[in-house]
Every structure is written in structure tokens, then in C-alpha cells.
């Protein structure tokens, strides 16, 4: 069905021209089509499919035998069964080098990060042993390196220590960590299974940049206690309390031997990172620098025995592989609710970080990252990890970057890294006895400061000021309050931005670009001129209940402003108001009611409302609600050009 309306052969860019004409040269009657009415069940099915299955995950199963479908199902859940068939010795050489390289970076970082989670050093190593093996079988990213990361370690440690004291009640604390890890994995897995990955995107990129940057500042400040050998350091995370604790210990708490060990190695780590960033030829230097510092400082402490002068050392790292901890997870009792809450929060942040890293490298190497499979992989590895003495693991940006630069080809690099960590747990851990904690602090600082991406913050400021507010809100919230408050601020500002864009959509006043039949915003194109007696307004959003009243009022304000301007200049008043609906993707019943109110208001002022270029979804609802007959079928046009022509038949392409 459709309505007959008058048309010309003029058209907007991308609009359908009138293709047929009468013999006398008059334009033929053109129709604005109303889409066929869909069956309700088909409509629901189509919407659900587009919402949850837009990537058509079942397409590979079509027209396949039962045996083939079973194999495809296994390959879907375990991608290693698909790419593993094409694995070669050449690829393994690259993956082996990459795996050993990231292991040399991972081991000292893991020992340092476990301290952020208020856990013993071996838990950091456990977390880089089991989860990478699971991810290698189920993940789709070739470059992401799995293990303990700084922000997640701090977030988990902060939230769990608020529920159970890690010093007074270490068993309860450890069990709560495993419980939170299990539920973090469960949330991630369910997100992937029910294809709810879009919820992760509610934490915007700008908010995530600010959150990570703030966490980097807080973590780095906390590590000063290790570098300076301060005992009895504050448990608070805000920068003011941390710096008060640092400078409040100047005269009685600083250990100059510890500072003398930590400071030079920290400077060396910064230099190695700088060289590795500036020149890819030196990436190996930034990769092995942490291990070099740990080994060298350990030898120095062993030879000089400065640990007798109160230099803090690691002292003991448990030898052996991960013990089973399934029985330690709280599935009932007073810590169950806390474990579920902490797990959900930490799991979401870990998922956001991992997917952001995976998408970055997938884009660089031009391969597809399946977000839902990533969620299943992340969830599985954390659930398995919680049962094997691991805490929440995710992708590390610094290690993933090294993995990429080392030439990794597949997730096998994670398996190699896991093998090196296993060797460390079985053989090397006793050698860490004399490792000074100052070095661990230096390693953590050099790693986390890469999360402070000031260049990206500057770019966000240049591109979108509201995004910059979200970024700074998250950053300042983490730095001056707590990690949790910074995260809450990041989420609130991100949601506020969505609400602002939904409830206050953009509108634009359109004018005609000289010597064309194109109508564009007069602000964007200053030379575009307004058609006498006609006001053209474009709405750049769907029109529904949160914004429909605002859209109507904004259009009327445009009208009032324009009439005041015309009155001041003694020009003819507006007789036609054209609403360009080319950007209106949908309209609901509230929007239709407001559209009718707009029509009545304009009618009382002797102004004709005209609609131009409504889309299929909009046209269907205009037709179903019969509002088209209120406005008048002859007042709905395919293009703005045709609508203007109906108001002013003498309007033609400018000759000037």
C-alpha cells in the first residue's frame, strides 16, 4: 500500500528519483510505500534473532550430517580443534619464542601482583599456569596473553579484604577469593552462553581509559612502600592517604638500602620500556628486563646479605603445582553473597579489559575475534582456575603486546608460557628466597604505568568533551576515593551519557545548498540558505517516549526563533514546516501522539506540517495509527526537495 503524492525529478542524495513521466512532461505520481504488515510471531522472531544472533552462529550447521554437526559443535566450543589441524612446526617455532618471552615478563609480574590481591606470591604463579591452558583450547585471540593483571588484582584484593581480613582470617580470605573467582567465571560464561556481550559495552572506552589510568597511579604509589622499605603502610587506596603514609615515614620508616636497590632497577626498567616502545628491534629488552632485574637483585642480596639490615625479601614461595580448591569455594554461608557480588563486578571489568585487548590485536592482524566465544573461554578458565588455587585472570595488555611483537601465531604461546611457569613452580621457586620486595615494587610500577595512556586521554578530549568528562570522572574517582567509587563513577557517567543522547537528541535547521537540490544543516554549511516561507527541521534520532516531548518542543522553539527573526526583518512568516525524518529510525505510540499534537499546534497557527523521507518502520506505524490521514497523505514526501517543491513550485536549481 502507499499514498499518492506529487513529485518532481529533483532529489536529495541517495533518494529515489521519479523515473516515469507523462507524455506531456508532467511528473508521474510517486508513492511513499508502506511496508507489508508482518506476522507478530515472525516480527518477534526476527527481532530476537537480530538482537542475540546477529552473527548467525548456526549458519555452519546448515545442511550438514549429524556427525558433521557434532564436530562443528566441538570446534565451536574448542576452536583449537579447528585451527590445530593446520598447525605446523614453523608456527610452533614462533609460538615457542613468544611463549618463553612472555613467561620471562609474566613470572616477576605475577609475584608482584599477588601482593596487590593480598595473597602469597605462589598464587600469582598459579594464576598464570592453569587459566592460560584453558584459554588456549577455547579462546579465539591469537595474541592475548592470559594471567594475573594489576587492576584486577587490586580490585579483587580491596573488595575481598573489606569482607574478610587477610591477616587475621587468612583461610576465610583465601576461600572468599576462590569464591569470587568462581562467580566471576560463571558471570562471564553466562554472558557468552546467553549472548549478552553487549552489556559489557555499557562501560565506555573513555571510562575504561580513565579507570585504568587512575588505578595505575594508585598501584604505583602503593609500591613506594616496597621500594622504600616502609613497614606498617596504610591499607587505604586513595592517593592522599598513600602519600601521607609515604612522607609520614621519612624520618623513621624509610630503608635506604632498600631504596638503593629498588631505584636504579626501576630506572633501568623505565629505560627498557622506553626503548622497546620506540623501536621494535628492542622489544625483547622490555620483555626480559623484569626477569633480569629479579635475578640480578636476588644475587646482590644473597652476596651482601642486606636482608639482615631490614631489607624486605620474598623469603618463601611454595614449591609445587596448584592444589585443588573446589572444596574451599563458598556455595553457602555468610560469604556466599559477598563472593557473588565481588565476582560479578570483577568479572565484568576483567571481561571488558580482555575483549578490548583482543579486538585491538585482531584489528591489527585482520582476523575475526568472536566476543561470545571469548566470554565462554574467559568464564571457563576462571571457573576451572577457582578450583585450582587461582584468582581472577584475564588478558594483560603489556604481555599481549610483547606476545604480538615476539611473532606469536596461535594461542599455543599461552601453552608454552604455562609450561615455563610450571617449570618455575616445580624447580625454581626456592631460588626466589632472597629476591628483595623492592624489585617486585619496581616491576609492578614499570608494568602498570603503561596503563596510564595520557595520549589517548588527549585524543578523547579533542574528539568528545563528554567522553572526556567520563574519563576524568573515573580517573579522579579512583585516585582520590577508592577503586570501587571510581568504577561506580565510570559506570554512572557512561549511563548518563546514554540517557542524555536518548532524551535530548540532536535536531538541525536545514537550508538549500546553492546550485544543488541538497538540503543540509545551516550550521554545518553557512552558505546554505533558507527557503522563504518554509522551515525545514531534521531530527537525528528515533522518536519514542523518553524524547518525543522534547523533539516536539524543540521543533516549536526552532519555529519561534525563526518567526522572531523574520518579524524583525519584516519578511514573510512561515507557512510550511517540513520535518526531515530520514534519520528517524523508529517511532512509538508516544512519539505518534506528540507528532499529532505538533500537527494540531501548527494547524492553530495556520502552518502546514509536512513529513519528508520517513523510513519503513516509521511509515508502517504512521499508517497503522492512521496519523497519516490526520496529516494528509499529500503531505508526506519521499524527499525534502519534493516537499519544498510542493510548498514553492517555483523553487529550482540555482543558476548563480
Amino acid at each position: 500500500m502507499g499514498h499518492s503524492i506529487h513529485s518532481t525529478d529533483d532529489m536529495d542524495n541517495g533518494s529515489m528519483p521519479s523515473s516515469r513521466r507523462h507524455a506531456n512532461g508532467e511528473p508521474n505520481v510517486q508513492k511513499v510505500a508502506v511496508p507489508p504488515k508482518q506476522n507478530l510471531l515472525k516480527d518477534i522472531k526476527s527481532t530476537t534473532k537480530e538482537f542475540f544472533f546477529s552473527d548467525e552462529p548456526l549458519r555452519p550447521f546448515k545442511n550438514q550430517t549429524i556427525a558433521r554437526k557434532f564436530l562443528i559443535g566441538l570446534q565451536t566450543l574448542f576452536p583449537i580443534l579447528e585451527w590445530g589441524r593446520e598447525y605446523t612446526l614453523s608456527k610452533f617455532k614462533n609460538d615457542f619464542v613468544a611463549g618463553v618471552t612472555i613467561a620471562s615478563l609474566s613470572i616477576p609480574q605475577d609475584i608482584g601482583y599477588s601482593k596487590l590481591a593480598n595473597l602469597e606470591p605462589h598464587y600469582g604463579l598459579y594464576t598464570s599456569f592453569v587459566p592460560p591452558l584453558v584459554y588456549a583450547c577455547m579462546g579465539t585471540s591469537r595474541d592475548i596473553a592470559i594471567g594475573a593483571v594489576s587492576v584486577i588484582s587490586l580490585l579483587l584484593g580491596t573488595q575481598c579484604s573489606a569482607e574478610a581480613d587477610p591477616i587475621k582470617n587468612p583461610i576465610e580470605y583465601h576461600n572468599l577469593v576462590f569464591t569470587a573467582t568462581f562467580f566471576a567465571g560463571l558471570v562471564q560464561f553466562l554472558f557468552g552462553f546467553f549472548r549478552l556481550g553487549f552489556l559489557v559495552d555499557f562501560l565506555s572506552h573513555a571510562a575504561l581509559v580513565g579507570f585504568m589510568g587512575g588505578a595505575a597511579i594508585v598501584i604505583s604509589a602503593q609500591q613506594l612502600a616496597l621500594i622504600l622499605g616502609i613497614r606498617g603502610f596504610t591499607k587505604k587506596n586513595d592517593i592522599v592517604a598513600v602519600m601521607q603514609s609515604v612522607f609520614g615515614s621519612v624520618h623513621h620508616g624509610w630503608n635506604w638500602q632498600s631504596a638503593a636497590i629498588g631505584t636504579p632497577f626501576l630506572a633501568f626498567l623505565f629505560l627498557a620500556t622506553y626503548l622497546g616502545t620506540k623501536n621494535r628491534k628492542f622489544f625483547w629488552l622490555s620483555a626480559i628486563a623484569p626477569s633480569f632485574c629479579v635475578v640480578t637483585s636476588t644475587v646482590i642480596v644473597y652476596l651482601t646479605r642486606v636482608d639482615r639490615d631490614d631489607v624486605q625479601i620474598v623469603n618463601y614461595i611454595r614449591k609445587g603445582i596448584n592444589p585443588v580448591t573446589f572444596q574451599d569455594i563458598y556455595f553457602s554461608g555468610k560469604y556466599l553473597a559477598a563472593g557473588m557480588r565481588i565476582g560479578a563486578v570483577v568479572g565484568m571489568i576483567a571481561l571488558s579489559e580482555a575483549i578490548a585487548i583482543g579486538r585491538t590485536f585482531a584489528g591489527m592482524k585482520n582476523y575475526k575475534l568472536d566476543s561470545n566465544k571469548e566470554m565462554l573461554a574467559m568464564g571457563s578458565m576462571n571457573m576451572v582456575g577457582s578450583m585450582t588455587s587461582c584468582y581472577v585472570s584475564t588478558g594483560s595488555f603489556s604481555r599481549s603486546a610483547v606476545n604480538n611483537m615476539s611473532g606469536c601465531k596461535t594461542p599455543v604461546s599461552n601453552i608454552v608460557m604455562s609450561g615455563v611457569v610450571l617449570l618455575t613452580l616445580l624447580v625454581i621457586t626456592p631460588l626466589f628466597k632472597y629476591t628483595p620486595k623492592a624489585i617486585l615494587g619496581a616491576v609492578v610500577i614499570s608494568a602498570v604505568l603503561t596503563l596510564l595512556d595520557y595520549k589517548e586521554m588527549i585524543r578523547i578530549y579533542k574528539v568528545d568533551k563528554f567522553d572526556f568528562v567520563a574519563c576524568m570522572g573515573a580517573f579522579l574517582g579512583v585516585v582520590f576515593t577508592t577503586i570501587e567509587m571510581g568504577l561506580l563513577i565510570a559506570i554512572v557517567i557512561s549511563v548518563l551519557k546514554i540517557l542524555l543522547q536518548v532524551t535530548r537528541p540532536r535536531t538541525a535547521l536545514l537550508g538549500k545548498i546553492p546550485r544543488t537540490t541538497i538540503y543540509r544543516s545551516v550550521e554545518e554549511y553557512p552558505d546554505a540558505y533558507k527557503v522563504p516561507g518554509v522551515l525545514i527541521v531534521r531530527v537525528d534520532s528515533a522518536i519514542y517516549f523518553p524524547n518525543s516531548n522534547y523533539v516536539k518542543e524543540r521543533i516549536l522553539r526552532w519555529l519561534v526563533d525563526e518567526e522572531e527573526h523574520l518579524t524583525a526583518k519584516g519578511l514573510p512568516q512561515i507557512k510550511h514546516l517540513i520535518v526531515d525524518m530520514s534519520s528517524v529510525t523508529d517511532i512509538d505510540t508516544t512519539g505518534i501522539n506528540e507528532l499529532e499534537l505538533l500537527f494540531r499546534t501548527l494547524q492553530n497557527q495556520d502552518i502546514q506540517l509536512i513529513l519528508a523521507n520517513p523510513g519503513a518502520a516509521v511509515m508502517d506505524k504512521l499508517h497503522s495509527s492512521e496519523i497519516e490521514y490526520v496529516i494528509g497523505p499529500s503531505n508526506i514526501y519521499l524527499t525534502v526537495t519534493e516537499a519544498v517543491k510542493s510548498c514553492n513550485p517555483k523553487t529550482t536549481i540555482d543558476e548563480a
Side-chain angles (χ1 to χ4, degrees):
M1 293 182 63
H3 347 272
S4 299
I5 61 174
H6 298 293
S7 173
T8 74
D9 53 338
D10 293 336
M11 64 174 181
D12 288 339
N13 281 4
S15 300
M16 182 182 295
S18 303
S19 56
R20 294 181 295 167
R21 304 176 71 87
H22 289 296
N24 60 4
E26 289 298 317
N28 194 8
V29 174
Q30 184 63 276
K31 293 183 178 181
V32 176
V34 176
K37 197 69 178 177
Q38 284 194 355
N39 179 277
L40 179 60
L41 291 177
K42 287 184 177 180
D43 193 27
I44 294 174
K45 181 180 178 182
S46 175
T47 303
T48 303
K49 179 182 177 182
E50 189 62 30
F51 192 80
F52 291 104
F53 306 101
S54 58
D55 57 345
E56 296 187 319
L58 301 179
R59 178 184 287 271
F61 293 88
K62 288 183 179 179
N63 303 320
Q64 301 291 339
T65 63
I66 295 178
R68 180 64 182 164
K69 287 180 179 179
F70 178 74
L71 178 60
I72 292 173
L74 286 178
Q75 291 175 342
T76 300
L77 189 58
F78 300 102
I80 191 173
L81 297 176
E82 183 175 1
W83 57 259
R85 293 181 302 170
E86 301 174 357
Y87 198 68
T88 63
L89 181 60
S90 175
K91 289 181 179 179
F92 178 73
K93 290 178 181 177
N94 286 278
D95 288 335
F96 182 81
V97 171
V100 172
T101 305
I102 58 175
S104 67
L105 178 63
S106 172
I107 291 169
Q109 287 183 355
D110 291 338
I111 296 173
Y113 292 160
S114 59
K115 177 68 176 176
L116 297 176
N118 299 315
L119 295 168
E120 292 78 9
H122 51 268
Y123 286 105
L125 296 174
Y126 291 164
T127 304
S128 286
F129 169 46
V130 174
L133 294 175
V134 178
Y135 180 84
C137 297
M138 301 183 66
T140 60
S141 174
R142 304 171 193 170
D143 301 273
I144 198 168
I146 298 298
V149 298
S150 56
V151 174
I152 299 302
S153 300
L154 179 63
L155 184 59
L156 185 67
T158 302
Q159 294 205 339
C160 287
S161 60
E163 302 292 336
D165 193 308
I167 298 175
K168 295 179 181 178
N169 303 301
I171 295 177
E172 291 183 350
Y173 179 82
H174 286 76
N175 294 351
L176 178 59
V177 168
F178 300 143
T179 303
T181 301
F182 176 82
F183 284 106
L186 182 61
V187 167
Q188 293 170 337
F189 187 89
L190 292 177
F191 267 45
F193 185 80
F194 291 108
R195 309 181 71 80
L196 300 175
F198 63 90
L199 293 176
V200 177
D201 295 331
F202 274 84
L203 186 60
S204 68
H205 169 70
L208 197 59
V209 168
F211 177 75
M212 293 295 184
I217 296 293
V218 170
I219 293 170
S220 298
Q222 288 180 333
Q223 301 313 300
L224 294 176
L226 298 180
I227 292 179
L228 299 174
I230 302 173
R231 297 182 183 273
F233 198 69
T234 181
K235 299 297 182 183
K236 295 181 179 179
N237 290 322
D238 65 283
I239 193 69
V240 175
V242 170
M243 297 315 293
Q244 284 178 343
S245 185
V246 169
F247 291 106
S249 307
V250 171
H251 300 295
H252 60 83
W254 288 18
N255 184 291
W256 72 267
Q257 294 100 326
S258 182
I261 293 172
T263 306
F265 281 110
L266 179 60
F268 172 73
L269 287 168
F270 280 145
L271 177 62
T273 301
Y274 175 79
L275 293 175
T277 303
K278 290 296 182 181
N279 193 331
R280 284 181 62 96
K281 294 180 180 178
F282 294 110
F283 82 89
W284 57 270
L285 183 61
S286 61
I288 68 168
S291 293
F292 171 80
C293 291
V294 167
V295 171
T296 306
S297 62
T298 301
V299 172
I300 291 173
V301 171
Y302 177 75
L303 294 176
T304 60
R305 295 311 307 269
V306 290
D307 56 302
R308 296 171 180 171
D309 295 321
D310 210 25
V311 171
Q312 300 177 51
I313 58 175
V314 171
N315 215 359
Y316 171 73
I317 298 180
R318 183 183 297 170
K319 187 177 178 181
I321 62 172
N322 311 29
V324 175
T325 50
F326 174 78
Q327 70 282 357
D328 297 331
I329 298 173
Y330 292 118
F331 291 108
S332 62
K334 65 176 182 178
Y335 289 114
L336 175 60
M340 294 174 67
R341 173 179 54 81
I342 295 169
V345 173
V346 176
M348 288 278 286
I349 298 298
L351 201 56
S352 298
E353 186 176 358
I355 290 179
I357 294 169
R359 286 174 178 170
T360 299
F361 290 105
M364 289 170 56
K365 287 190 172 181
N366 193 31
Y367 65 86
K368 177 178 171 55
L369 183 85
D370 191 319
S371 297
N372 288 296
K373 289 182 182 178
E374 287 295 291
M375 295 175 198
L376 292 174
M378 295 284 170
S380 298
M381 74 183 191
N382 279 314
M383 285 192 288
V384 173
S386 69
M387 303 173 193
T388 53
S389 303
C390 304
Y391 66 92
V392 180
S393 58
T394 187
S396 163
F397 188 83
S398 60
R399 276 173 259 167
S400 297
V402 170
N403 196 27
N404 174 60
M405 288 187 289
S406 300
C408 69
K409 298 298 180 183
T410 70
V412 168
S413 60
N414 277 287
I415 298 177
V416 174
M417 178 192 71
S418 181
V420 175
V421 172
L422 173 61
L423 181 65
T424 302
L425 285 167
L426 294 176
V427 180
I428 304 176
T429 49
L431 302 180
F432 287 114
K433 178 180 180 179
Y434 292 101
T435 300
K437 290 186 177 180
I439 285 300
L440 300 181
V443 168
V444 171
I445 290 175
S446 67
V448 300
L449 283 183
T450 59
L451 299 176
L452 182 59
D453 194 349
Y454 68 92
K455 291 182 180 178
E456 182 63 12
M457 291 180 179
I458 294 172
R459 191 182 76 89
I460 290 172
Y461 174 78
K462 291 178 179 178
V463 173
D464 190 320
K465 300 299 186 292
F466 200 99
D467 265 358
F468 183 73
V469 171
C471 180
M472 286 295 100
F475 178 82
L476 297 175
V478 172
V479 170
F480 289 104
T481 56
T482 62
I483 291 285
E484 296 88 342
M485 183 58 67
L487 178 60
L488 180 61
I489 291 172
I491 294 173
V492 167
I493 293 178
S494 297
V495 172
L496 281 177
K497 181 183 179 183
I498 295 172
L499 292 176
L500 181 63
Q501 291 177 336
V502 167
T503 59
R504 295 295 183 266
R506 294 182 184 274
T507 59
L509 201 60
L510 304 187
K512 188 169 184 285
I513 296 178
R515 297 178 297 280
T516 73
T517 57
I518 299 172
Y519 292 82
R520 291 292 183 268
S521 169
V522 294
E523 290 186 4
E524 185 179 357
Y525 296 89
D527 59 336
Y529 64 87
K530 301 169 187 174
V531 179
V534 180
L535 183 68
I536 310 169
V537 179
R538 187 184 68 225
V539 179
D540 293 332
S541 167
I543 302 175
Y544 38 36
F545 69 94
N547 65 21
S548 56
N549 182 66
Y550 169 80
V551 170
K552 181 196 72 176
E553 295 297 331
R554 187 67 187 94
I555 291 173
L556 291 175
R557 284 209 310 274
W558 280 119
L559 178 62
V560 171
D561 292 343
E562 187 64 17
E563 288 187 328
E564 288 178 354
H565 173 73
L566 294 173
T567 301
K569 291 195 171 185
L571 297 173
Q573 294 297 299
I574 300 297
K575 291 298 180 183
H576 300 87
L577 192 151
I578 300 173
V579 179
D580 179 5
M581 305 187 78
S582 57
S583 300
V584 179
T585 56
D586 202 357
I587 188 169
D588 67 359
T589 53
T590 307
I592 288 172
N593 289 338
E594 293 295 336
L595 190 62
E596 183 174 0
L597 287 175
L598 176 63
F599 171 78
R600 302 297 183 194
T601 303
L602 294 175
Q603 191 178 46
N604 292 335
Q605 300 178 39
D606 198 25
I607 298 173
Q608 178 62 55
L609 175 64
I610 298 174
L611 306 181
N613 198 16
V618 174
M619 200 62 225
D620 177 49
K621 293 180 181 179
L622 292 178
H623 177 74
S624 300
S625 64
E626 299 186 354
I627 189 68
E628 59 170 326
Y629 300 111
V630 175
I631 296 173
S634 61
N635 291 316
I636 303 176
Y637 291 84
L638 281 176
T639 68
V640 173
T641 301
E642 292 174 340
V644 172
K645 191 74 172 178
S646 71
C647 306
N648 186 1
K650 294 182 179 181
T651 302
T652 60
I653 298 179
D654 301 80
E655 298 297 334

